[in-house]
Amino acid sequence: MRTVVLTMKASVIEMFLVLLVTGVHSNKETAKKIKRPKFTVPQINCDVKAGKIINPEFIVKCPAGCQDPKYHVYGTDVYASYSSVCGAAVHSGVLDNSGGKILVRKVAGQSGYKGSYSNGVQSLSLPRWRESFIVLESKPKKGVTYPSALTYSSSKSPAAQAGETTKAYQRPPIPGTTAQPVTLMQLLAVTVAVATPTTLPRPSPSAASTTSIPRPQSVGHRSQEMDLWSTATYTSSQNRPGADPGIQRQDPSGAAFQKPVGADVSLGEMDSWKPGSVLLDEGLVPKEELSTQSLEPVSLGDPNCKIDLSFLIDGSTSIGKRRFRIQKQLLADVAQALDIGPAGPLMGVVQYGDNPATHFNLKTHTNSRDLKTAIEKITQRGGLSNVGRAISFVTKNFFSKANGNRSGAPNVVVVLVDGWPTDKVEEASRLARESGINIFFITIEGAAENEKQYVVEPNFANKAVCRTNGFYSLHVQSWFGLHKTLQPLVKRVCDTDRLACSKTCLNSADIGFVIDGSSSVGTGNFRTVLQFVTNLTKEFEISDTDTRIGAVQYTYEQRLEFGFDKYSSKPDILNAIKRVGYWSGGTSTGAAINFALEQLFKKSKPNKRKLMILITDGRSYDDVRIPAMAAHLKGVITYAIGVAWAAQEELEVIATHPARDHSFFVDEFDNLYQYVPRIIQNICTEFNSQPRN
């Protein structure tokens, strides 16, 4: 019996051990089968902006083709959240145009996002934005959990429209009503309203629904003066059962904003950037920045009016404060009408009195809103009305690269004058015109009959403006009529085809060099001639819209080395001149002139001055008189430069009248360089002596 009991105990223990081992093994097998949930990388479209995604840090997958310029990117390395996420990734070099995974991290907003061209993407500049982001390779940090589904700022995000997983904020349901989705800004407003006691006395229900009141201000606390900008209409508390009326005001976008009772207008704790607090394009903006920051990026400007404009405003004591304010209002109206921006017009202001002073240059304010704010802050300087001194100041100092002057944008000066200047303007204006500056005059309240004896320079406006055809002059009888000049002024300064003074002696010609390559020149001297051509070319502004250069080499025969439309930059032209090979042969100058007229100048642009510069070292084997006359009749201004054995009488026949200004004789090739300044001076003197009517 005892043996049986022991046997049964042993069997029970053995069974227990078998079950224990089986259970452990089963648990191991189950553990192997249970896999961790796989992280799914959310996909976004090329046009999704970082500011629309609420998550402060996330990994996403971009599709191919985001290099397209329609997906705007703002900044370099650090991007404004108004940028395309995937476009920024391509620009930064983290992705190529085939797409892929990236890590995006939100950072604080900044000022001065710089545009640049990188990896096939042209990013744009932006003065400031409330939030930024950086793009990194998709290497997850240890211990950081990244969302498999992104949270967007609205229920209808670009990703959602593409059928991707998103999360939308929902308002808690109210009994008897249907829950509706709300934006994060609305939720944020509700949270602030519930959490903070009011600092305002409660108005009566009737007043609350009809009266718009200003936002209270905390004196001396900049960080606490905040405003909620929202494009959505806040749900009125009067529509909810049992709710008290709130305080209603009009937001900057024009939508009614209902502030619930109990909400504190002081939002100082939101002043610093925190993930989730200003992640939307509709964010919290300090009150002081409302005049210089909008919900959308500022305009890039009107490309149909790309000018660099300086206003010379009259700050003399005689005009008084009231008329000075009228003058500033005109400037503000012009700034608004022009649509200021880096791709369009830029504008600076100089005030003159005894001496001129720049208030701001072309690059100080690059949008109409900031410019108008700056104009409002200008104060009157007083003094005399020294307009001539002011024009000289602008000519020498204002239109420089350091001040934002852009090559290819016409330089325009608008001068406002009360009565008449107290100094002379003619000489200063002439230098301005020769520098390519288009001068407009607006004169107000001219001298009365008994005052004309005090006018320093009668008819000063016609002596100053770019042309005397009436296009550049505006006159009003009274300061109260100054606003009438707005539309005609804006129309005229933007009519770049008629800004005649933008054309200078150095940027408005088609210049054809006709080079003697005969045997008497020799290889060494031919290289010296090419250096002379190079030195002359360097003096001009070269582009397809500025001065263009062509060249012909001749002996008995003629050869077109390159035409006017072959090269459009100065480095390319200079390299082409170096590559011209010496030909060697006889000297048929007459035939060469005819060839140049047909092969070069026949293809010259109608609005270009035609200049032929012929260099020869001997007498021509053929007649030069008829070809030279043909050139003169076709409007080709001909300069003839003779070296060594060239015939002086032939040079004078070839040259345009007067010959003394257009023909030069050099005894040796090595002395050619000495005549470069004189030839340039003669070209410019002749250009600037053209009638201004």
Side-chain angles (χ1 to χ4, degrees):
M1 186 69 179
R2 188 174 181 180
T3 303
V4 172
V5 172
L6 290 173
T7 303
M8 289 177 66
K9 285 182 178 180
S11 298
V12 170
I13 291 171
E14 183 178 354
M15 186 178 297
F16 176 76
L17 290 174
V18 169
L19 291 173
L20 181 63
V21 171
T22 302
V24 170
H25 180 72
S26 176
N27 287 338
K28 287 183 179 180
E29 289 297 320
T30 304
K32 287 181 181 179
K33 292 179 181 178
I34 298 174
K35 295 182 179 179
R36 292 181 179 180
K38 186 178 180 181
F39 169 59
T40 303
V41 177
Q43 296 188 15
I44 61 173
N45 296 331
C46 294
D47 60 348
V48 174
K49 300 170 184 175
K52 292 295 182 184
I53 301 173
I54 296 174
N55 308 85
E57 188 168 335
F58 52 89
I59 294 177
V60 290
K61 185 176 182 181
C62 291
C66 295
Q67 200 178 55
D68 195 304
K70 68 182 178 182
Y71 307 122
H72 291 167
V73 177
Y74 297 88
T76 301
D77 297 329
V78 178
Y79 303 95
S81 63
Y82 199 77
S83 306
S84 156
V85 174
C86 299
V90 176
H91 181 269
S92 65
V94 174
L95 286 185
D96 56 26
N97 202 36
S98 62
K101 299 176 184 177
I102 55 171
L103 171 62
V104 178
R105 183 177 302 149
K106 299 289 187 67
V107 294
Q110 63 181 43
S111 298
Y113 296 91
K114 294 182 179 180
S116 64
Y117 182 81
S118 178
N119 302 308
V121 175
Q122 175 65 60
S123 73
L124 307 173
S125 58
L126 194 63
R128 61 183 64 84
W129 200 249
R130 291 178 292 281
E131 180 196 62
S132 311
F133 69 99
I134 56 176
V135 184
L136 306 168
E137 294 182 6
S138 58
K139 294 180 179 178
K141 287 184 180 179
K142 290 184 178 179
V144 178
T145 303
Y146 296 94
S148 294
L150 300 177
T151 304
Y152 288 87
S153 62
S154 69
S155 59
K156 291 185 178 181
S157 67
Q161 292 170 2
E164 296 158 11
T165 305
T166 62
K167 296 178 182 178
Y169 280 92
Q170 301 287 330
R171 181 190 295 123
I174 299 170
T177 64
T178 304
Q180 299 292 330
V182 297
T183 65
L184 180 61
M185 286 308 301
Q186 293 170 322
L187 188 66
L188 181 58
V190 172
T191 305
V192 174
V194 173
T196 330
T198 182
T199 59
L200 295 174
R202 179 179 301 181
S204 63
S206 60
S209 60
T210 60
T211 305
S212 177
I213 67 171
R215 183 178 66 258
Q217 299 178 8
S218 302
V219 178
H221 296 281
R222 172 175 176 171
S223 63
Q224 292 183 350
E225 294 182 340
M226 308 290 286
D227 190 14
L228 282 171
W229 280 35
S230 176
T231 55
T233 302
Y234 199 94
T235 305
S236 173
S237 59
Q238 293 176 338
N239 296 332
R240 298 200 303 268
D244 291 328
I247 301 168
Q248 187 175 21
R249 68 173 176 85
Q250 202 72 15
D251 84 336
S253 65
F257 183 98
Q258 185 74 19
K259 181 182 181 297
V261 172
D264 189 351
V265 297
S266 175
L267 299 176
E269 69 277 5
M270 300 300 293
D271 190 46
S272 59
W273 183 88
K274 299 174 184 177
S277 64
V278 284
L279 298 185
L280 307 183
D281 290 337
E282 305 89 358
L284 296 176
V285 187
K287 178 194 170 196
E288 289 80 3
E289 295 183 14
L290 294 183
S291 62
T292 58
Q293 191 170 3
S294 66
L295 295 177
E296 299 292 326
V298 292
S299 170
L300 296 177
D302 180 3
N304 296 317
C305 183
K306 188 176 181 180
I307 60 172
D308 288 342
L309 171 63
S310 172
F311 260 94
L312 286 182
I313 61 172
D314 191 341
S316 60
T317 306
S318 62
I319 72 169
K321 292 183 178 180
R322 184 179 183 184
R323 288 181 287 184
F324 189 76
R325 286 197 298 270
I326 294 173
Q327 190 175 209
K328 291 201 303 180
Q329 185 59 52
L330 175 66
L331 264 64
D333 293 342
V334 170
Q336 182 65 41
L338 282 179
D339 186 14
I340 300 296
L346 294 178
M347 177 175 154
V349 175
V350 173
Q351 183 181 170
Y352 67 87
D354 291 334
N355 294 295
T358 301
H359 283 285
F360 38 85
N361 60 35
L362 296 167
K363 67 179 183 181
T364 308
H365 304 292
T366 56
N367 62 76
S368 296
R369 184 187 57 253
D370 289 356
L371 189 57
K372 288 170 64 180
T373 302
I375 290 169
E376 180 59 33
K377 296 177 182 178
I378 294 175
T379 57
Q380 187 177 357
R381 294 172 59 86
L384 298 174
S385 184
N386 291 330
V387 177
R389 185 176 295 178
I391 293 173
S392 293
F393 172 82
V394 168
T395 302
K396 295 175 182 176
N397 302 293
F398 189 86
F399 292 107
S400 66
K401 189 175 182 180
N403 287 337
N405 190 47
R406 300 166 293 178
S407 60
N411 295 338
V412 179
V413 171
V414 177
V415 187
L416 286 93
V417 183
D418 173 43
W420 60 89
T422 52
D423 64 348
K424 292 188 176 182
V425 302
E426 184 173 15
E427 180 62 18
S429 299
R430 182 185 65 81
L431 293 173
R433 292 193 301 270
E434 291 178 1
S435 300
I437 298 173
N438 297 272
I439 300 179
F440 288 78
F441 257 68
I442 300 177
T443 53
I444 308 103
E445 296 182 359
E449 195 63 37
N450 61 343
E451 295 175 323
K452 289 183 179 179
Q453 57 182 317
Y454 304 112
V455 177
V456 176
E457 193 173 27
N459 201 25
F460 64 88
N462 277 343
K463 294 177 180 179
V465 294
C466 180
R467 293 288 185 270
T468 57
N469 55 9
F471 181 76
Y472 294 88
S473 302
L474 292 165
H475 177 74
V476 290
Q477 296 294 333
S478 165
W479 277 93
F480 299 107
L482 186 60
H483 66 279
K484 297 178 182 178
T485 65
L486 174 63
Q487 292 302 326
L489 177 64
V490 169
K491 184 177 180 180
R492 294 182 192 188
V493 298
C494 289
D495 190 353
T496 54
D497 290 337
R498 295 189 65 182
L499 296 180
C501 282
S502 298
K503 298 174 182 178
T504 70
C505 59
L506 301 178
N507 70 1
S508 58
D510 280 344
I511 302 176
F513 288 97
V514 180
I515 306 168
D516 185 349
S518 61
S519 302
S520 58
V521 175
T523 304
N525 288 333
F526 187 77
R527 290 290 120 194
T528 303
V529 171
L530 292 183
Q531 185 59 52
F532 171 71
V533 172
T534 296
N535 293 342
L536 283 171
T537 301
K538 286 179 178 178
E539 298 294 325
F540 293 91
E541 298 173 26
I542 308 294
S543 79
D544 55 352
T545 57
D546 293 315
T547 292
R548 304 187 302 168
I549 304 292
V552 167
Q553 184 182 175
Y554 73 95
T555 57
Y556 283 128
E557 300 177 285
Q558 306 82 35
R559 182 170 72 194
L560 179 65
E561 300 294 350
F562 50 87
F564 293 135
D565 56 355
K566 181 70 172 178
Y567 303 107
S568 59
S569 71
K570 187 175 290 187
D572 289 344
I573 287 289
L574 297 180
N575 286 331
I577 294 170
K578 288 180 183 178
R579 293 194 300 267
V580 173
Y582 177 47
W583 205 358
S584 185
T587 309
S588 294
T589 305
I593 294 172
N594 283 331
F595 181 85
L597 293 177
E598 285 295 317
Q599 299 299 318
L600 271 181
F601 292 101
K602 198 171 184 178
K603 300 176 182 178
S604 181
K605 292 183 178 180
N607 62 339
K608 298 286 187 181
R609 295 175 71 227
K610 302 173 182 64
L611 301 179
M612 181 190 297
I613 301 178
L614 184 144
I615 309 110
T616 182
D617 81 326
R619 185 179 294 275
S620 176
Y621 293 171
D622 62 354
D623 181 66
V624 299
R625 288 174 295 179
I626 294 176
M629 186 179 297
H632 302 159
L633 291 174
K634 291 180 179 180
V636 178
I637 301 169
T638 307
Y639 287 81
I641 296 97
V643 189
W645 301 279
Q648 184 71 40
E649 66 274 15
E650 273 190 2
L651 298 178
E652 293 177 357
V653 168
I654 294 169
T656 296
H657 180 78
R660 66 178 181 275
D661 295 331
H662 298 86
S663 66
F664 305 91
F665 180 81
V666 186
D667 54 356
E668 294 182 6
F669 283 95
D670 289 341
N671 292 330
L672 273 171
Y673 74 94
Q674 298 177 4
Y675 284 82
V676 171
R678 186 175 169 186
I679 293 170
I680 295 296
Q681 181 181 1
N682 286 11
I683 289 173
C684 288
T685 300
E686 184 175 44
F687 177 88
N688 295 325
S689 65
Q690 295 177 101
R692 293 195 298 118
N693 53 25

